[in-house]
């Protein structure tokens, strides 16, 4: 009986930890959002892992449809492609922090987590001339020490309403997946630099006009978090 009880407690603890680390609605490791204000038909497209060599083409697709987006960028790629970062900022898009080297944060020390965020924050600020206020954890996985790092750097965590799985699925499946999740204040997660670049670009080129026809507009994460009076 005692062994069964201990086993049940261990399972419950594991479940709670998994929720805290990966759940889109968890705020255990720091302030975090996964959707915006429901009072208007606005959606936030977000792109993780960049910048990449494909970013300029993605910017062209967004510009063609008058869509603004949020790019969660890694410090190592910011240093590698500084001109692309400046293009993103100049086009009026929002830039968020996606860590420095895209390492998994779980099982890392509080100091290591802070260093990951701080190095990316410095690289983005110095290159783009803007200081990020939003952070997305690599792989969407948070850990102990993140709350303190976010507080010190002034960062709000951002998860997602739906993820496109554009590193794995073909473009039509990505579009279908996200279109089904479209609602006021939705935050969609896509990737700029992970998996086939063509998949993301093709999916975005199809998704935006389809949702514009349904009355949605595309804003940055910061914009959709603020309800309109």
């Amino acid at each position: 009986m005692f062994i069964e009880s201990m086993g049940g407690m261990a399972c419950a603890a594991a479940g709670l930890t998994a929720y805290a680390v990966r759940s889109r609605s968890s705020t255990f490791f720091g302030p975090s959002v996964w959707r915006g204000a429901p009072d208007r038909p606005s959606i936030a497209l977000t792109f993780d892992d960049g910048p990449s060599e494909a970013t300029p083409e993605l910017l062209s697709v967004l510009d063609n449809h008058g869509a603004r987006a949020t790019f969660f960028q890694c410090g190592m790629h910011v240093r590698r492609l500084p001109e692309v970062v400046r293009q993103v900022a100049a086009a009026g898009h929002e830039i968020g922090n996606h860590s420095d080297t895209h390492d998994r944060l779980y099982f890392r020390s509080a100091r290591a987590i802070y260093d990951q965020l701080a190095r990316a924050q410095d690289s983005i600020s110095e290159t783009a001339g803007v200081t990020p206020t939003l952070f997305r954890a690599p792989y969407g996985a948070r850990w102990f020490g993140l709350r303190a790092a976010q507080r010190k750097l002034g960062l709000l965590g951002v998860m997602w309403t739906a993820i496109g799985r554009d590193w794995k699925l073909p473009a039509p499946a990505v579009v279908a997946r996200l279109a089904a999740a479209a609602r006021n204040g939705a935050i969609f997660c896509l990737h700029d630099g992970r998996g086939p670049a063509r998949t993301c670009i093709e999916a975005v080129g199809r998704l935006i006009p389809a949702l514009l026809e349904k009355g949605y507009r595309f804003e940055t994460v910061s914009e959709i978090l603020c309800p309109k009076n």
Side-chain angles (χ1 to χ4, degrees):
M1 188 67 152
F2 175 76
I3 294 176
E4 290 179 357
S5 177
M6 290 298 292
M9 291 175 63
C11 289
L16 287 172
T17 300
Y19 170 83
V21 172
R22 300 302 298 265
S23 174
R24 65 184 184 179
S25 61
S26 170
T27 57
F28 183 84
F29 293 119
S32 181
V33 298
W34 59 276
R35 59 186 175 185
D39 66 326
R40 64 189 189 282
S42 295
I43 289 174
L45 294 174
T46 68
F47 300 96
D48 291 2
D49 302 354
S52 74
E53 288 75 6
T55 305
E57 187 174 357
L58 181 56
L59 291 176
S60 294
V61 174
L62 295 171
D63 182 62
N64 288 341
H65 297 289
R68 289 191 302 281
T70 299
F71 288 76
F72 287 99
Q73 298 184 337
C74 297
M76 63 180 181
H77 296 312
V78 169
R79 295 187 293 273
R80 186 172 66 87
L81 297 169
E83 287 302 321
V84 176
V85 178
R86 287 189 275 270
Q87 288 179 40
V88 173
H93 301 293
E94 184 171 38
I95 299 178
N97 185 323
H98 196 45
S99 83
D100 196 58
T101 60
H102 205 266
D103 288 351
R104 290 173 171 83
L105 300 184
Y106 45 89
F107 302 118
R108 301 294 301 277
S109 69
R111 180 64 195 181
I113 290 173
Y114 176 78
D115 286 347
Q116 277 286 325
L117 274 61
R119 287 199 298 269
Q121 195 83 339
D122 289 345
S123 292
I124 294 169
S125 298
E126 292 170 5
T127 304
V130 294
T131 300
T133 59
L134 303 177
F135 167 74
R136 177 171 286 157
Y139 309 101
R142 288 70 56 89
W143 199 247
F144 300 95
L146 182 56
R147 180 183 294 274
Q150 286 185 204
R151 182 173 62 248
K152 189 170 184 178
L153 296 169
L155 292 167
L156 172 66
V158 180
M159 290 292 282
W160 52 77
T161 309
I163 189 166
R165 298 181 67 83
D166 47 325
W167 68 92
K168 181 178 182 180
L169 299 175
V174 174
V175 174
R177 182 181 177 89
L178 296 179
R183 58 181 57 87
N184 290 3
I187 298 174
F188 289 164
C189 179
L190 292 153
H191 295 82
D192 173 21
R194 180 183 178 193
R198 291 298 329 157
T199 298
C200 177
I201 293 169
E202 181 183 346
V204 171
R206 294 185 182 191
L207 181 67
I208 291 177
L211 293 184
L212 286 173
E213 286 187 5
K214 293 184 177 182
Y216 291 103
R217 59 179 176 265
F218 294 89
E219 299 180 324
T220 67
V221 170
S222 289
E223 288 170 334
I224 72 164
L225 291 178
C226 300
K228 298 297 184 182
N229 295 324

